[in-house]
Amino acid sequence: MPTVSRPARGFPTARIEHRHGRLPVEVSLVAQLGHGAGDDLFRQTGKRQHGQAGFIDALDEPSASIAATDFARGESTALFSFAVGPEGHPFHRHAGHRVFTAISGSGGTQLCFSTVSDAAMQASPTAFVDALHHVDIPPDCLFTVRFGGGTWHRFMPLKPGHPALFALSCHTDERGGIDDPALAMLVASGKADIPGLTELLPDTVLAHLHAHPPCSGDIPTIALSLDGPPGGLLDSGCSVVRRAAGRLRGLAEAWRTAGGFIARRGRAVTELASPPAGSLLSSQLSEGFEHEDSFEVVLHAANLRGQLASDLLADVLEGFLANRPAGVSWLMRLRNVLVRPLRLRTSPLGCPVSSLLSPNRDNLFAGRHPVLDQATDPRGLHAQVLLGADDRHLRFRSCVGVRIAGDEARITLGTRVQARNLFGRFYMACIEGAHRRYVSPAMLLLAVEHAQRRLHPATDPATAIAL
């Protein structure tokens, strides 16, 4: 049959009605991206997806959880990323309906859907082919897809040698349509993933497709486009250029690393006028000191009730080691280079907590953190440790404390510094501003974020948690 094209107002959309009255398939083009952007984006996001917690590579559809369900608080939605490479992926379906936004590869994408019912497919495998429809997406396009649960689908590149797509999929009701009790329990636990929610095509239908592969020319197809009528001269010429650009940009992207950064802004850390009452720091360096500061972060979490302050403090101390501010690490590297010729003490950690790397094992908190002193109250609601070291030019003491009251925990970091000579006073005059305005508050903030992540084990380590 001849190709019939017509202009479309708004977003060009394809709608495929379900043969048995269930939700239709709806596909809409949203925007045309730059030449070769689809292949480039596929490789960029693929690298980041691989580093995401919960990444799974299965069924030719690498995927990762971005936002999980939380049924205890009424959240039944989930957000996943997934990718389909140059080989496409097999026909499959999900019990629940799906909504996703995707970027097509630089060779375009073919979306294949079959709205066959189970009864018709069991009666005859040919019913699956009879209910097939294709939707062709042009290269380097942003598009959306929505379809109901039980719809068989497969995504393929239109042109070989290019990835099919990268997508963000919103599962609007993770429990929707699930009848299997075991799968329902998995979903309720918040541990469901895309492969676990996927059902593959029955072997009888697969055998029929292999023995009698359908001719693409016989399958009803809707082609969407933005640059010009599908199959026209402009559309065809543009597709050739985009495929070439995609290969070049894909080669360039293969040599680059994909990473990211998370920055904070706002008053998450409060500077205190003096150390909290009862702080171990209050009795330290009482003969005189040149610098003192104290900072506090208030942590609000419903699951703090029953938590021991000593356990939370141990997680905060671990956070100083495992979740360091990048800027402080760079400052410490520069500082170590400058003071090494002076035979001063060097450390990769900022001064307030650098003694956590001490080899001294005489006094350990939680069995692993070297401290100068420690104290906990009998009820387990307050715990604190004293850190510090002596150097040629100064002595410092720091106190890290945790106090829990209901659903609130106050985590403090206080520091005192005593200069031992004229160079020590000069040294503190040079670094005091950066220490007070950035080093101490930044280190405390990220250490508390690490501890809060331990309270929520499912949280991705790459996620910044609002405090």
Side-chain angles (χ1 to χ4, degrees):
M1 292 182 62
T3 299
V4 180
S5 300
R6 64 175 178 84
R9 290 181 177 271
F11 303 118
T13 298
R15 179 184 174 97
I16 302 170
E17 293 292 344
H18 198 284
R19 290 196 170 190
H20 303 279
R22 303 179 72 175
L23 291 175
V25 176
E26 296 169 308
V27 181
S28 297
L29 284 189
V30 177
Q32 181 74 70
L33 306 184
H35 289 72
D39 285 9
D40 183 53
L41 184 141
F42 177 87
R43 286 172 174 80
Q44 281 190 50
T45 52
K47 292 175 183 177
R48 291 188 176 94
Q49 178 178 252
H50 192 275
Q52 180 79 3
F55 170 76
I56 295 177
D57 190 355
L59 303 178
D60 298 319
E61 185 181 324
S63 61
S65 172
I66 296 179
T69 57
D70 189 346
F71 294 110
R73 289 190 276 188
E75 182 57 81
S76 60
T77 67
L79 181 64
F80 290 88
S81 67
F82 72 89
V84 181
E87 304 302 320
H89 64 177
F91 269 109
H92 62 279
R93 69 178 179 180
H94 313 290
H97 54 277
R98 292 291 181 260
V99 179
F100 67 83
T101 301
I103 304 290
S104 59
S106 297
T109 305
Q110 185 169 78
L111 311 176
C112 310
F113 301 97
S114 178
T115 59
V116 66
S117 69
D118 287 352
M121 191 169 59
Q122 290 169 6
S124 173
T126 60
F128 178 86
V129 178
D130 292 340
L132 268 178
H133 291 80
H134 290 172
V135 179
D136 289 351
I137 303 295
D140 307 324
C141 271
L142 174 69
F143 65 99
T144 65
V145 179
R146 183 174 74 163
F147 54 87
T151 301
W152 296 99
H153 56 282
R154 179 180 68 175
F155 308 140
M156 305 284 290
L158 269 175
K159 298 295 182 180
H162 295 272
L165 57 85
F166 179 85
L168 298 176
S169 179
C170 179
H171 300 184
T172 56
D173 183 1
E174 200 71 289
R175 292 175 292 195
I178 295 177
D179 298 322
D180 182 355
L183 183 57
M185 288 183 63
L186 183 67
V187 170
S189 70
K191 298 178 181 178
D193 52 44
I194 287 182
L197 297 168
T198 297
E199 178 187 357
L200 293 175
L201 205 58
D203 291 340
T204 53
V205 180
L206 280 175
H208 176 80
L209 291 177
H210 289 150
H212 308 282
C215 177
S216 59
D218 295 333
I219 297 173
T221 300
I222 299 175
L224 305 176
S225 68
L226 294 167
D227 286 333
L233 185 61
L234 177 61
D235 182 64
S236 299
C238 185
S239 295
V240 171
V241 175
R242 289 183 180 280
R243 291 199 297 273
R247 288 193 173 93
L248 290 175
R249 293 184 66 172
L251 288 173
E253 181 60 35
W255 293 93
R256 294 164 53 189
T257 58
F261 300 89
I262 300 172
R264 288 184 176 274
R265 187 181 295 114
R267 196 180 66 181
V269 183
T270 302
E271 184 171 5
L272 305 178
S274 60
S279 170
L280 293 174
L281 190 63
S282 300
S283 61
Q284 299 298 309
L285 308 180
S286 55
E287 63 274 20
F289 46 87
E290 278 63 41
H291 171 85
E292 179 182 76
D293 62 46
S294 291
F295 297 92
E296 179 183 73
V297 172
V298 180
L299 178 61
H300 302 276
N303 53 350
L304 278 173
R305 293 184 182 274
Q307 179 86 12
L308 293 177
S310 56
D311 291 340
L312 183 55
L313 177 56
D315 289 339
V316 171
L317 296 179
E318 184 65 33
F320 285 120
L321 302 172
N323 200 29
R324 309 177 192 181
V328 174
S329 296
W330 279 107
L331 287 174
M332 290 307 298
R333 292 189 190 103
L334 176 61
R335 181 257 182 202
N336 291 339
V337 170
L338 295 176
V339 305
R340 189 170 284 112
L342 303 176
R343 293 184 294 137
L344 299 183
R345 179 175 173 270
T346 61
S347 174
L349 278 180
C351 164
V353 296
S354 59
S355 63
L356 286 172
L357 297 176
S358 169
N360 191 333
R361 317 305 287 176
D362 293 341
N363 189 2
L364 297 178
F365 180 79
R368 61 184 186 277
H369 299 297
V371 299
L372 299 181
D373 197 6
Q374 56 182 293
T376 57
D377 77 334
R379 297 179 300 165
L381 299 179
H382 184 209
Q384 55 181 325
V385 296
L386 185 69
L387 310 174
D390 297 344
D391 206 349
R392 294 164 58 88
H393 62 314
L394 55 77
R395 304 168 66 202
F396 82 87
R397 297 293 182 268
S398 296
C399 180
V400 186
V402 171
R403 188 180 296 274
I404 296 177
D407 294 337
E408 179 181 277
R410 296 184 175 272
I411 300 98
T412 56
L413 169 63
T415 304
R416 281 182 179 176
V417 181
Q418 180 187 77
R420 305 185 71 175
N421 48 45
L422 186 61
F423 175 73
R425 292 186 177 88
F426 171 75
Y427 178 89
M428 280 307 303
C430 291
I431 72 164
E432 182 176 21
H435 188 281
R436 183 184 299 275
R437 295 186 182 92
Y438 176 61
V439 175
S440 282
M443 294 183 69
L444 177 61
L445 184 63
L446 292 196
V448 174
E449 182 183 87
H450 175 86
Q452 187 177 18
R453 192 175 292 118
R454 298 292 294 271
L455 293 173
H456 303 277
T459 305
D460 187 339
T463 300
I465 303 176
L467 299 171

